[in-house]
Amino acid sequence: MTVIRTGSPLDWREVCAVAAGAPLELSAQARERIGAARALVEQIIARGMRAYGVNTGVGALCDVVVSPAEQHTLSHNILMSHAVGVGASLGAQETRAIMAAAINNYAHGHSGVRVELVERLVALLRADCLPEVPALGSVGYLSHMAHIALVCVGAGHVNWRGERISGAEALRRLGLEPLSLEAKEGLSLVNGTPCVTGLAALALQRAHRLLDWADAVAAMSFENLGGQMVAFDAGSLAYRVSPGLAQVGARMRAALLGSGLLAAALGRRTQDPLSMRTIPHVHGAARDVLAATAEVVNRELASTTDNPIIAGTPEEPRVFSQAHAVGASIALAMDSLAVAVAQVAAMAERRLDRLVNPLVSGLPAFLAQASGTRSGFMIAQYTAAALVAQNRREAAPASLDGGVTSGLQEDHLCHATPAALKALAVIDNSGRIFGIELLAAVQAYDLQPIAAERAPYTQALYSQVRAVLPTYRDDRPLADDITRAFHMIMDDGPPPLPGPLTVRPSRDFCIPAPTDCVAGSAAASANDALPGAVGT
């Protein structure tokens, strides 16, 4: 599938498609808008209108006038001085997502770069010839796109077909000449929010998949621990107004439909621990955050995030040298998403602890096949606890870090790109936590003392895991199993839930009449739920 940047902006799912390898093309309409904006830049230069980064220096040098003869040098030098990233490089998907978001931004037609420059980025994507982009060193934007742009002028490095080569050699192999940047192009190449927006799109995709797995894995733990299905009763949940909560409640009812284990546990307890009975509340709250974050990211993709913005007509060109490159809204959204995912994962670790603790599980200690000589999942729970603690540190808000740069000119920093990188790290950590819970839940089924059938859905999940990983008997490094489970969770979604999940007719999520309630049985219907995908 080819993604085409038309008159409408890309949405986050299209950015993810390009990140996964889909080609990106510019429509004729997009090219026309880019060209029209470039014509306005030429008028601004010809008229001697002061425009930040066009005929002035940048940052604290914004009042230093740059002559027409020096404007090419200014653009070129901006790339060199702003390419200050450090640390390990971003992955291929992350780099492609940033490039797609940048092309989308230029196609709004308010940046003033040449069509040839945007086509150069398109060509690199088409060839999957990806610039080497160090992940660290940004307080908001600048460095990531600078490293990408280096390749356009024959500098920097790329990773292509498993080989690291110079930007100059990459262009030679592609049959392309290095570009000579013109006025404003250097600045447009490094500023704006494409770096955080591309990364945020990937965070949305990975968080969406993770939350689907969170529901599935939680259902397995809930079943193993003999939970009370009344926690997912549709009538009860409807008293709290939350689309995410209603959706998760329906998903849990569908996942546990027909469980003999839960039928045997019916009425055993008045209420379950919070890590079990608040699955709809916590997972649902995270889904609500996910939906809100998707709106923010799509708004960012629909916005021009350049500085300055070029507008007006050839007769009356206008320049807005203000602050649209600052990503406060998306920084806050990324911080919120990281906290939401971290909370869901923290509760998973608490369920995991209950599975391995014989005082509350009714299962063999630490899910070991033989107590004393085997430790089972004792230390795997330590790993999960360590990852929860790391998530807590990573989820501290980047958007509040602040700082002062550029000689007091840039005296408020939102740290948008670091917020997105932290969110991705939290999602990865959480995938490992859920991988450990998944393995423990499958092991718990093997050790269940109750002779009763599992729900068809959880049985399918059990069979999927056991098809690639046998019962754990302390006979191999458990880390290898955890890695397999992590990739199972992060690389694809869980099996689809049984039955259609349809919307119950309602007005403003009104509370259903008591006759609509399901009375908490293990055979509760799934047909009174909200639809599956959040953020569409």
Side-chain angles (χ1 to χ4, degrees), residues 352 376-385 387 428-440 465 468-470 472 476-491:
L352 169 65
F377 282 75
M378 178 193 294
I379 310 304
Q381 186 264 329
Y382 289 27
T383 300
L387 291 170
D428 264 8
N429 283 342
S430 301
R432 292 182 173 88
I433 293 167
F434 276 105
I436 296 170
E437 186 187 6
L438 173 63
L439 294 174
V465 175
V468 294
L469 291 171
Y472 187 68
R476 58 189 184 272
L478 190 48
D480 295 343
D481 290 20
I482 293 171
T483 298
R484 292 285 293 274
F486 168 72
H487 285 296
M488 184 180 295
I489 286 172
M490 299 306 291
D491 294 346

Side-chain angles (χ1 to χ4, degrees), residues 111-172:
S111 294
V113 300
R114 289 170 295 159
V115 174
E116 295 93 318
L117 179 55
V118 186
E119 289 283 13
R120 178 58 51 87
L121 295 173
V122 170
L124 293 174
L125 277 177
R126 186 185 303 118
D128 204 30
C129 184
L130 302 181
E132 189 175 85
V133 185
L136 305 178
S138 172
V139 296
Y141 43 94
L142 299 177
S143 67
H144 294 79
M145 276 303 300
H147 283 275
I148 290 171
L150 285 177
V151 178
C152 295
V153 300
H157 290 85
V158 303
N159 291 289
W160 193 25
R161 299 175 180 173
E163 186 181 2
R164 182 180 188 260
I165 58 177
S166 70
E169 175 62 14
L171 294 182
R172 188 191 68 78

Side-chain angles (χ1 to χ4, degrees), residues 91-109:
Q93 286 198 5
E94 287 78 6
T95 302
R96 289 183 64 91
I98 291 171
M99 293 170 71
I103 292 165
N104 173 75
N105 191 43
Y106 302 139
H108 288 306

Side-chain angles (χ1 to χ4, degrees), residues 22 26 41 69 77 114 143 151 179 185 239 249-250 276 313 321 354 369 383 396 418 423 451 469 483 506:
L26 293 171
V41 171
N77 290 351
R114 289 170 295 159
S143 67
V151 178
L179 290 174
E185 290 183 329
Y239 284 94
M276 296 169 64
T313 65
S321 300
R354 300 191 76 82
Q369 286 286 327
T383 300
L469 291 171
T483 298
S506 63

Side-chain angles (χ1 to χ4, degrees), residues 161-245:
R161 299 175 180 173
E163 186 181 2
R164 182 180 188 260
I165 58 177
S166 70
E169 175 62 14
L171 294 182
R172 188 191 68 78
R173 294 187 190 183
L174 290 171
L176 300 171
E177 292 292 328
L179 290 174
S180 177
L181 299 183
E182 298 185 3
K184 194 182 186 297
E185 290 183 329
L187 181 58
S188 288
L189 278 167
V190 303
N191 77 8
T193 64
C195 42
V196 57
T197 309
L199 296 173
L202 291 178
L204 282 170
Q205 182 186 56
R206 294 172 189 176
H208 187 285
R209 183 180 297 154
L210 180 71
L211 291 180
D212 281 353
W213 271 106
D215 295 342
V217 175
M220 299 175 82
S221 294
F222 188 92
E223 189 176 33
N224 271 301
L225 294 167
Q228 301 300 299
M229 277 295 291
V230 71
F232 310 131
D233 180 84
S236 172
L237 294 180
Y239 284 94
R240 178 173 282 275
V241 179
S242 161
L245 179 145

